[in-house]
Amino acid sequence: NDFKLIYKHQASNNKNMQSIIFKSFVILLVSHLLIESVFANKFEHFYREKGLSQATVSSLLVDQNGYLWVGTNDGLNRFNGYDFEVFKANDNVKDSILASNITTLYQDTEGVLWVATVSGVNTFNRKLNTFNDIKVVNEHLGKTEAKVIKINEVSDNDIIFATDKGGFTFDKQSQTISEINISHESTGKISTLFKAKETLWASLNNGDLGYLEGTRFKTVFNGFDVTNAFISLEEELWLGTVNGLV
């Protein structure tokens, strides 16, 4: 009798275990199918066959008119939700973009689209569908052999450029350039720009993190090799770094 009771108990346990395994398998299968369905419905891939000029995307921006601008290594793309219009450098076309390799995009408070390329900076003329050569900025970039990494603005009149050789501001009204004065304690060059409320923050390639006061950089922290930044709805500053999230 004892043997029968033990056997029945073991058989019951085996059935329960089989039931648990079966239910777990069903749950995992359904979860996988649901996730696959969600991602299949949410994501759509765009590549050359669908009109994108090149597959390596360097920058994205939605302008004040709702167009999506896509900077790539071979062309600037404007997407209206259906089709891509591609802009490339062309020596035979007057007022074309300076180069097809786009490094970054920025729209200022006046709605002007700034386009940085490996050969210099343009602004986009929406009425004529052409590009303006910002001669003062490009002459300065040419002298220093610098490439623009990020663009932002200190004020409505002053545009700031972070390059691989340092940072400078451009006064739109006077058409003049002012170098960013890095504090003597720091030896880094500006690599990232981001705005928190009305304060323009910058990170340097030596790990310094601080803010700009006019054309002076004030170091606040050290040891943050920042790659990206985000201000949350709770107005918390989140930093993406090469060593994780801060």
Side-chain angles (χ1 to χ4, degrees):
N1 289 337
D2 289 341
F3 174 75
K4 288 181 180 179
L5 286 173
I6 292 169
Y7 178 78
K8 284 181 180 179
H9 178 68
Q10 288 178 336
S12 175
N13 283 344
N14 288 338
K15 286 182 179 179
N16 288 338
M17 183 59 68
Q18 288 174 353
S19 176
I20 290 169
I21 292 171
F22 177 73
K23 287 177 181 178
S24 299
F25 172 76
V26 171
I27 290 169
L28 286 171
L29 179 62
V30 171
S31 299
H32 173 75
L33 292 173
L34 284 172
I35 292 170
E36 198 174 64
S37 173
V38 168
F39 279 98
N41 292 330
K42 292 288 183 181
F43 291 94
E44 184 176 356
H45 292 273
F46 294 93
Y47 32 82
R48 286 183 180 180
E49 288 75 10
K50 290 193 175 183
L52 189 65
S53 64
Q54 205 259 350
T56 304
V57 175
S58 60
S59 49
L60 294 169
L61 183 144
V62 177
D63 70 15
Q64 61 183 11
N65 297 320
Y67 289 109
L68 174 65
W69 292 85
V70 184
T72 74
N73 287 356
D74 188 26
L76 177 64
N77 303 257
R78 181 170 64 181
F79 186 58
N80 61 11
Y82 301 96
D83 304 300
F84 287 99
E85 183 176 4
V86 178
F87 301 92
K88 289 189 178 185
N90 189 336
D91 293 336
N92 298 319
V93 176
K94 186 182 177 182
D95 299 326
S96 70
I97 196 168
L98 283 172
S100 298
N101 192 337
I102 312 301
T103 58
T104 191
L105 302 169
Y106 182 73
Q107 181 178 255
D108 65 23
T109 51
E110 295 178 342
V112 176
L113 177 66
W114 295 75
V115 183
T117 76
V118 293
S119 298
V121 178
N122 289 120
T123 56
F124 181 66
N125 188 321
R126 298 176 192 277
K127 291 181 180 178
L128 301 177
N129 233 30
T130 57
F131 293 86
N132 305 314
D133 182 359
I134 313 302
K135 295 186 184 298
V136 175
V137 172
N138 292 327
E139 284 173 5
H140 180 79
L141 290 170
K143 288 176 184 176
T144 57
E145 297 183 346
K147 293 177 183 177
V148 174
I149 302 167
K150 291 288 183 183
I151 305 173
N152 214 305
E153 54 192 325
V154 183
S155 65
D156 293 348
N157 184 57
D158 297 308
I159 301 295
I160 185 168
F161 297 91
T163 80
D164 57 351
K165 300 292 176 63
F168 64 90
T169 58
F170 170 61
D171 186 309
K172 292 189 287 185
Q173 189 171 356
S174 65
Q175 294 285 296
T176 55
I177 296 287
S178 299
E179 292 285 349
I180 300 296
N181 185 10
I182 305 298
S183 59
H184 67 275
E185 295 92 354
S186 180
T187 56
K189 300 290 186 183
I190 293 176
S191 58
T192 307
L193 292 168
F194 53 93
K195 231 171 187 175
K197 293 187 177 179
E198 295 304 312
T199 302
L200 187 60
W201 289 74
S203 65
L204 308 187
N205 58 4
N206 67 347
D208 283 0
L209 176 68
Y211 62 92
L212 290 167
E213 223 175 50
T215 57
R216 293 188 64 82
F217 175 82
K218 303 284 187 179
T219 302
V220 178
F221 302 108
N222 185 269
F224 292 96
D225 194 349
V226 178
T227 57
N228 214 330
F230 173 75
I231 307 297
S232 71
L233 294 174
E234 292 78 22
E235 298 185 348
E236 293 177 327
L237 176 61
W238 291 76
L239 302 175
T241 77
V242 295
N243 296 314
L245 188 65
V246 179

